[in-house]
Every structure is written in C-alpha cells, then in structure tokens.
C-alpha cells in the first residue's frame, strides 16, 4: 500500500484549501438559488462532498480523502461557518475514506467515486439528525436527502473523475504520480 509522503500531504491540504475557498462561493450560490428553487437546490449540494473523493482520485493514496475533507472544512470554519463545519468535514471525509478502503484503495471508477460521495452524504445526514437539522417529515427527508445523494454521485463520481482525467491529459499529474494507459482504463471500470 502506498504511504503518504510529505509532498502528498502538502498537495492534499492544498486541495482542501482550494475546495474550502470554492465552498464559500458555492455557499453564496446556494443561498441565491434558495428562493428560486427551494427543493431542487439540493441538486447543487454535492459540491460539499467532492473534496475528499477528488483528492483521493488525484493522489490515489490512503488518507487523502479524509485529510482533504478536514482541510477544506477547516478553512470554511475559519471563514466564519463555525465549528460544526469541522464535524461535517470529519464525518464526510471519514465516510469517503472508508468507502475507498473497502475497495482496498484500488478502484478509481465513476461508480466507486460516486459511492464515496453518497457515503459522505449519508454521514452528513447522520450528523444532521444529531444537530436537529433533519427534523422534517419523512417524505421531506426522503426528497431532500435523495436529491442530495444524486447530487453527491454527480459531483464526486462524474465531475471529479472527469476533472482528474482532464488534469491527467495535460500531464500535470505526472508530477505527483505517473499516468499510463492501465490507469486510464481503471477509471473507466
């Protein structure tokens, strides 16, 4: 199993920081969309689950999903979203990490990345229940979190995989890991 080197750790934290900044802007967009699409805006929610799976897809080393998620949440908490955000970063990163671990960190497909996002969504739901944010009627919970799960799969599975493929095509990722045809075919599984 590949271990994290210091450069891997720095890159992972930087991914978290970049996503932390993106999450701030995404939060603003989410707020603007609220009156226009009060229920359908849940389809935008998957962005908050993307940081961990994206970091793992890029570096493909154990621990990166968890560390990147905490780094992104830390910046978000520092920017004024409060300590609760750190808890969300912790459980979402842990859920994604556990999903990748279940496949022994050897699968990088859209399906596996998407499932990591859905796992993060489920972990978030559990925390929402603890904090009392999910005190809705059953049908409303199913709609809200069903849309979030769909969004999680789209952002973490489809978007993250395609962004990583685009980065690989430019050769940028060769600085952090070698890319060969075998790795491209693994992404398509």
């Amino acid at each position: 199993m590949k271990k994290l080197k210091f450069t891997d750790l720095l890159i992972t934290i930087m991914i978290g920081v970049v996503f932390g900044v993106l999450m701030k802007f995404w939060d603003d967009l989410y707020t603007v969309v609220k009156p226009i699409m009060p229920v359908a805006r849940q389809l935008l929610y998957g962005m908050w689950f993307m940081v961990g799976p994206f970091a793992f897809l890029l570096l493909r080393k154990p621990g990166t999903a968890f560390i990147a998620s905490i780094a992104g949440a830390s910046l978000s908490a520092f920017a004024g979203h409060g300590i609760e955000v750190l808890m969300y970063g912790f459980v979402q990163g842990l859920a994604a990490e556990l999903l990748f671990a279940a496949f022994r960190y050897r699968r990088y497909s859209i399906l596996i990345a998407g499932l990591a996002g859905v796992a993060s969504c489920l972990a978030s739901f559990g925390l929402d229940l603890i904090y009392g944010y999910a005190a809705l009627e059953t049908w409303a919970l199913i709609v809200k979190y069903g849309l979030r799960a769909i969004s999680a799969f789209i952002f973490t599975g489809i978007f993250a995989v395609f962004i990583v493929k685009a980065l690989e095509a430019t050769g940028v990722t060769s600085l952090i890991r070698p890319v060969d045809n075998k790795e491209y075919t693994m992404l398509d599984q």
Side-chain angles (χ1 to χ4, degrees):
M1 188 174 300
K2 304 174 209 172
K3 294 185 179 179
L4 284 174
K5 295 181 280 185
F6 182 69
T7 54
D8 298 328
L9 188 59
L10 287 177
I11 292 167
T12 302
I13 291 170
M14 287 309 300
I15 289 169
V17 168
V18 168
F19 270 89
V21 171
L22 287 174
M23 286 180 216
K24 171 60 181 139
F25 291 114
W26 204 257
D27 189 45
D28 294 340
L29 172 67
Y30 192 73
T31 303
V32 168
V33 171
K34 183 177 183 175
I36 303 165
M37 304 181 331
V39 176
R41 75 185 174 130
Q42 300 304 319
L43 291 171
L44 299 175
Y45 209 86
M47 177 65 169
W48 282 286
F49 306 125
M50 190 173 169
V51 60
F54 178 82
F56 174 74
L57 290 171
L58 193 64
L59 293 165
R60 300 188 182 167
K61 292 191 177 179
T64 54
F66 181 68
I67 294 167
S69 186
I70 288 186
S74 297
L75 182 64
S76 188
F78 182 74
H81 287 100
I83 196 85
E84 285 179 354
V85 173
L86 282 174
M87 289 303 299
Y88 280 96
F90 180 86
V91 298
Q92 290 170 5
L94 182 61
E97 195 69 43
L98 290 173
L99 192 287
F100 291 124
F103 291 94
R104 298 181 179 202
Y105 299 101
R106 294 185 188 150
R107 300 282 308 267
Y108 318 108
S109 67
I110 288 174
L111 177 64
I112 301 306
L115 289 176
V118 173
S120 295
C121 180
L122 291 174
S124 175
F125 173 69
L127 207 51
D128 283 351
L129 288 175
I130 291 169
Y131 285 134
Y133 298 146
L136 300 171
E137 293 183 35
T138 305
W139 70 268
L141 285 174
I142 292 169
V143 170
K144 180 178 183 175
Y145 289 94
L147 291 173
R148 282 187 182 183
I150 291 167
S151 177
F153 190 91
I154 291 169
F155 276 89
T156 63
I158 298 169
F159 292 167
V161 168
F162 284 131
I163 292 169
V164 169
K165 279 185 175 185
L167 288 171
E168 289 171 345
T170 67
V172 166
T173 58
S174 65
L175 298 171
I176 55 175
R177 64 174 168 77
V179 176
D180 60 15
N181 287 335
K182 180 182 175 190
E183 287 184 299
Y184 280 116
T185 58
M186 290 175 75
L187 278 171
D188 292 329
Q189 293 178 355

